[in-house]
Amino acid sequence: MLEVQSLTKNYGRGPDAIQALNGLTFSVNHGEFVSIVGPSGCGKTTLLKCLSGLISPSSGKVIMNGDVIQGPPAGMALVFQEYTRSLMPWLRVDDNVALPLRGKMPKEQVGPAVEKSLRAVGLGSFMRSYPWELSGGMQQRVALARALAYGPEILLMDEPFASVDAQTRAELEDLTREVHREYGVTIVFVTHDIDEAVYVSDRVVVLTNRPTSVREIVGIDLGSERDQVDTRETGDFAHLRAHVARLLMSLDPAKTHTSPEASRSEV
Ligand SMILES: Nc1ncnc2c1ncn2[C@@H]1O[C@H](COP(=O)(O)OP(=O)(O)OP(=O)(O)O)[C@@H](O)[C@H]1O
């Protein structure tokens, strides 16, 4: 459903130009959950911005359902890390979720769509609360509900859980997998956390340093039922996270002597 073909993005021109992306090619199938990991500053956010049509590639293209993306396409929604900046503090939770739907959906469908998505993220009883009355994790659930209410075919998530504590992060990972299944939505998920990428995904796209290309695409054969404790305890999980960690460390000579098993790996 999404094809990234020889995608290149440069910022600026001349000697100061930054080549962020250099000929990225990969595809995302309908209903897949694909994570993107790569070294810091390699261009993950740039890639998501190109996928969402917010910026144009310097060369190459992104194709969604056969059409080249030339601006924000219908059927695509984004969730960012900074949920506090994406929610309107003066609007109640349900009004925040309804806001982007107004004018895009028949009026009588807005209320049911808002309620369905808030229930899907476990916030059915907080519809009339204000965002500032909710915890950080709950606010990020509102941001997820707002993206889902729109009924997107594809959801782009940029380090969505980077600002919450570990327990909340684990809950949000499971919730995202649940709504992925329930809504049948395709997800492209950028994260710095190798364990998270392996835990949530069907495939992990590992990027190189700038100028960035695809280092390897790793299939995550851990089955569809995953559990924060049991799955992470398996040998398959350990093997996959070590493989992704080694790929990333092979890009960074300073880290080649560190054991990938030493700690939860962030890149
Ligand atoms: N608007 C811009 N103008 C100029 N350079 C930019 C712009 N946006 C990003 N860059 C540069 O492009 C490179 C890739 O940035 P980007 O934010 O996409 O990387 P990232 O992998 O998402 O970073 P991080 O790991 O910190 O989240 C960086 O060197 C960044 O400084």
Side-chain angles (χ1 to χ4, degrees), residues 194 206 215-216 218 238-253 255-256 258-262 265 267:
I194 297 168
V206 182
R215 172 80 170 81
E216 189 173 311
V218 182
H239 172 73
L240 285 163
R241 74 177 285 278
H243 180 64
V244 174
R246 282 194 187 100
L247 286 172
L248 288 163
M249 285 193 304
S250 70
L251 304 168
D252 180 357
K255 289 189 186 165
T256 47
T258 312
S259 160
E261 282 81 20
S265 315
V267 288

Side-chain angles (χ1 to χ4, degrees), residues 9-12 16-21 36-49 55 81 158-159 190-192 207-208 210 212 267:
K9 178 68 188 176
N10 305 321
Y11 290 111
D16 295 331
I18 293 175
Q19 189 174 20
L21 306 176
I36 313 282
V37 297
S40 190
C42 75
K44 299 178 289 298
T45 299
T46 299
L47 171 59
L48 278 199
K49 285 181 181 168
I55 58 174
Q81 177 185 338
D158 193 2
E159 293 181 50
V190 164
T191 178
H192 273 100
L207 302 179
T208 66
R210 283 196 292 117
T212 304
V267 288

Side-chain angles (χ1 to χ4, degrees), residues 13-66:
R13 289 174 194 278
D16 295 331
I18 293 175
Q19 189 174 20
L21 306 176
N22 182 30
L24 259 67
T25 297
F26 65 93
S27 60
V28 179
N29 300 320
H30 181 77
E32 237 190 336
F33 198 139
V34 171
S35 288
I36 313 282
V37 297
S40 190
C42 75
K44 299 178 289 298
T45 299
T46 299
L47 171 59
L48 278 199
K49 285 181 181 168
C50 289
L51 296 187
S52 59
L54 291 174
I55 58 174
S56 310
S58 304
S59 65
K61 54 191 167 185
V62 181
I63 300 171
M64 180 175 165
N65 294 331

Side-chain angles (χ1 to χ4, degrees), residues 2 50-54 64 68-77 150 154:
L2 199 64
C50 289
L51 296 187
S52 59
L54 291 174
M64 180 175 165
V68 176
I69 289 181
Q70 286 170 326
M76 190 181 266
Y150 177 64
I154 181 157

Side-chain angles (χ1 to χ4, degrees), residues 105-113:
M105 195 181 257
K107 246 184 182 173
E108 63 280 8
Q109 289 178 19
V110 171

Side-chain angles (χ1 to χ4, degrees), residues 99-106 110:
L99 192 64
L101 303 180
R102 304 211 188 279
K104 296 217 172 87
M105 195 181 257
V110 171

